[in-house]
Every structure is written in structure tokens, then in C-alpha cells.
């Protein structure tokens, strides 16, 4: 019965996954501004692998009786639909989500703050030793 329910729902999930992947791909295509064809294709393959792994694991958990077959069949689409809406929001805001320079600047700011905290801790320990 579980295998039948899974296959019945997969008839719909496969069709819906095309919509989800189009949502993710369109959003990422708007966000990634450089890299030509290579970067978007790599990102698309990564999301395909994620969908495959989520679908396989959802089916496995449903067949083992850990989760409901409906949830097992739809889990990959639900999670990636949420991801697709996130990317759609970022594309609408013209976000620099995949720009390496943005992450380098954020890391540099975080490093400065971290070093300032370490300096304060070091200064406290030195002043405690003198007292």
C-alpha cells in the first residue's frame, strides 16, 4: 500500500518539480550576472542532486514507515519550493547572493570585530593580573 501511495503521488510531484526547478533556475539566472553558462549550469546540477537526494530519502523513510507516504513524496518539492521563493525574493531585491566580493567584505568586517573582542579579553586578563 505504501509503495502504491508513493507512486501515485510521484505522478504529481514530478510535474510539480518542473515548476519548482523553473522557479529556482529563473531566480538564480537573474541573480548570477557573470560566469556565462558555466556557473548557472553547475548551480542547476547541484539543485538537481539535492532534489534527487531529498526524494530518495523521503521515499526511503516512507517505505520504512517513519513518515507518511504523502510527506515522503512531497518533502523535496516543499523544501525546494521554499528555497525557490527565497531566491525569487533575492532576485527581486537585485541581491548579490552569489558575488564572492560581498562575502569577502563581510568576512573582513567579522574578522575585525572578532579581533576587537579578543583584544578586550586580553586587556581584561592583563588588568586582572595587575590587580
Amino acid at each position: 500500500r505504501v509503495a502504491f501511495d508513493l507512486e501515485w503521488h510521484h505522478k504529481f510531484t514530478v510535474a510539480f518539480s518542473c515548476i519548482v526547478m523553473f522557479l529556482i533556475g529563473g531566480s538564480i539566472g537573474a541573480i548570477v550576472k557573470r560566469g556565462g553558462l558555466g556557473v548557472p549550469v553547475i548551480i542547476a546540477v547541484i539543485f538537481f542532486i539535492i532534489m534527487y537526494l531529498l526524494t530518495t530519502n523521503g521515499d526511503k523513510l516512507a517505505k520504512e514507515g517513519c513518515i507518511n507516504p504523502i510527506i515522503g513524496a512531497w518533502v523535496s518539492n516543499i523544501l525546494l519550493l521554499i528555497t525557490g521563493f527565497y531566491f525569487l525574493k533575492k532576485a527581486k531585491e537585485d541581491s548579490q547572493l552569489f558575488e564572492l566580493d560581498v562575502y569577502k567584505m563581510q568576512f573582513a568586517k567579522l574578522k575585525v570585530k572578532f579581533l576587537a573582542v579578543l583584544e578586550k579579553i586580553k586587556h581584561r586578563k592583563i588588568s586582572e593580573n595587575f590587580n
Side-chain angles (χ1 to χ4, degrees):
R1 176 76 181 156
V2 172
F4 174 78
D5 287 341
L6 276 173
E7 288 305 315
W8 190 82
H9 281 281
H10 277 305
K11 290 182 185 289
F12 302 104
T13 61
V14 170
F16 189 71
S17 67
C18 293
I19 296 168
V20 170
M21 287 300 201
F22 179 76
L23 180 67
I24 291 172
S27 301
I28 289 175
I31 292 171
V32 176
K33 300 204 177 11
R34 62 178 182 168
L37 185 63
V39 175
V41 168
I42 290 171
I43 294 170
V45 168
I46 288 170
F47 275 103
F48 175 77
I49 291 170
I50 290 170
M51 177 163 279
Y52 176 77
L53 291 174
L54 288 172
T55 302
T56 304
N57 287 327
D59 290 352
K60 180 182 171 190
L61 290 173
K63 287 177 183 176
E64 291 174 355
C66 297
I67 59 174
N68 190 331
I70 296 170
I71 295 171
W74 285 93
V75 70
S76 64
N77 283 319
I78 292 168
L79 293 175
L80 288 177
L81 182 66
I82 293 167
T83 305
F85 282 133
Y86 173 75
F87 284 144
L88 185 65
K89 179 182 175 223
K90 290 297 184 182
K92 181 182 159 194
E93 296 169 354
D94 200 25
S95 175
Q96 298 175 339
L97 193 62
F98 294 106
E99 295 291 327
L100 188 60
D101 296 334
V102 173
Y103 294 108
K104 285 181 182 178
M105 290 187 315
Q106 288 178 350
F107 181 72
K109 288 178 186 177
L110 186 64
K111 183 179 173 182
V112 168
K113 287 181 183 180
F114 181 70
L115 291 174
V117 169
L118 284 178
E119 190 64 33
K120 284 181 183 180
I121 292 171
K122 183 179 174 183
H123 183 38
R124 267 192 219 143
K125 286 184 180 181
I126 291 172
S127 63
E128 286 175 0
N129 288 337
F130 285 114
N131 291 333

